[in-house]
Amino acid sequence: MADPLSQRSIVDAALAVLDEGGASAVTVRAVAARLGVQAPALYYHVTSKQHLLDEMGTEITRRVVSVLTTRASDGHWLHDLAAYGAALRDEYLLHRDGARTFSGTLITDPAVLRALEPWLRRWTDYGVPPSAVFDAIEIVTAFVTGYVIEEQERLQSAEEPERYSPEARRARLGDGTPLVVDAGYARTDPSGRFERQLAAVIRGIGESSRVAEGASDGP
């Protein structure tokens, strides 16, 4: 009988465990139980919990890279960067505790990294220095990860509907703090806030890259 285990089936099972129980539920033992085998049967494919998380993160990165590499160029690297931020958020949100679970994981499949080369080359062909490219990606990754961690914590508190209610916030504050009250209502549109804040990050990156280019030109 053929071995039912594969890297893909293990990752799929691990993502299902994550979605059901959150980051703390993901263990080699839990994934093995979902697949109907004993934990030692998985060790040929994943050697530890960290290796399992790396494989999960690699799959998420593979999906993000697929979005990026199939996106037609419009001649502006900052638009590519915004598309990366949006794709990363979309993938994180597909899974419970996605941002917290996948951030910092190691990409185990060299093919995923190789697929990025033409996309990065497109940026350098625009005249963007490689150092600016790498900084921009790290800045957007950090923003998206932090944003989605907070976003998912709020989304997953459904058992306490009043916890983040702007009306409950208003009642706690009373009169005299209208701006603080308004800030609570401003947080009720996570997608709209994400788009605005990502745009601000992108503008900052664009401005800093122009300043750097001007400085490198010399007097």
Side-chain angles (χ1 to χ4, degrees):
M1 182 176 178
D3 184 355
L5 298 179
S6 66
Q7 206 82 5
R8 182 57 185 268
S9 67
I10 291 170
V11 169
D12 287 346
L15 291 173
V17 170
L18 174 66
D19 293 343
E20 290 179 2
S24 61
V26 179
T27 64
V28 175
R29 186 182 298 276
V31 174
R34 187 172 188 88
L35 291 167
V37 300
Q38 297 297 312
L42 268 62
Y43 287 130
Y44 176 80
H45 301 278
V46 290
T47 58
S48 65
K49 177 176 179 177
Q50 185 58 62
H51 185 191
L52 176 61
L53 294 173
D54 288 343
E55 293 296 340
M56 296 165 70
T58 296
E59 175 58 26
I60 298 306
T61 304
R62 182 180 291 111
R63 297 174 187 177
V64 173
V65 170
S66 177
V67 171
L68 299 179
T69 55
T70 56
R71 180 180 183 275
S73 173
D74 62 4
H76 204 305
W77 75 286
L78 293 178
H79 295 172
D80 284 346
L81 188 60
Y84 164 67
L88 186 61
R89 175 176 179 260
D90 287 346
E91 289 298 332
Y92 280 171
L93 286 177
L94 287 176
H95 299 285
R96 181 174 175 178
D97 293 335
R100 186 151 57 91
T101 302
F102 306 133
S103 62
T105 51
L106 176 71
I107 299 175
T108 60
D109 184 357
V112 174
L113 293 172
R114 292 192 190 102
L116 281 171
E117 184 70 18
W119 187 66
L120 296 175
R121 179 68 60 187
R122 190 162 80 187
W123 289 16
T124 57
D125 287 346
Y126 293 158
V128 184
S131 59
V133 170
F134 306 146
D135 284 348
I137 293 172
E138 289 190 345
I139 291 167
V140 170
T141 300
F143 165 72
V144 174
T145 300
Y147 187 96
V148 178
I149 286 175
E150 177 73 14
E151 182 179 12
Q152 290 188 311
E153 289 297 326
R154 287 171 172 267
L155 288 172
Q156 289 159 195
S157 64
E159 66 278 5
E160 299 180 69
E162 291 299 304
R163 181 174 175 82
Y164 296 112
S165 164
E167 288 79 14
R169 179 188 177 107
R170 176 195 289 273
R172 289 196 305 272
L173 288 168
D175 297 330
T177 55
L179 294 177
V180 179
V181 169
D182 287 348
Y185 285 95
R187 298 184 67 87
T188 59
D189 178 17
S191 291
R193 285 192 299 111
F194 175 80
E195 291 173 3
R196 291 194 307 273
Q197 293 175 17
L198 177 61
V201 171
I202 298 294
R203 285 196 301 272
I205 291 170
E207 184 61 32
S208 65
S209 67
R210 284 190 290 272
V211 169
E213 288 169 6
S216 65
D217 291 340

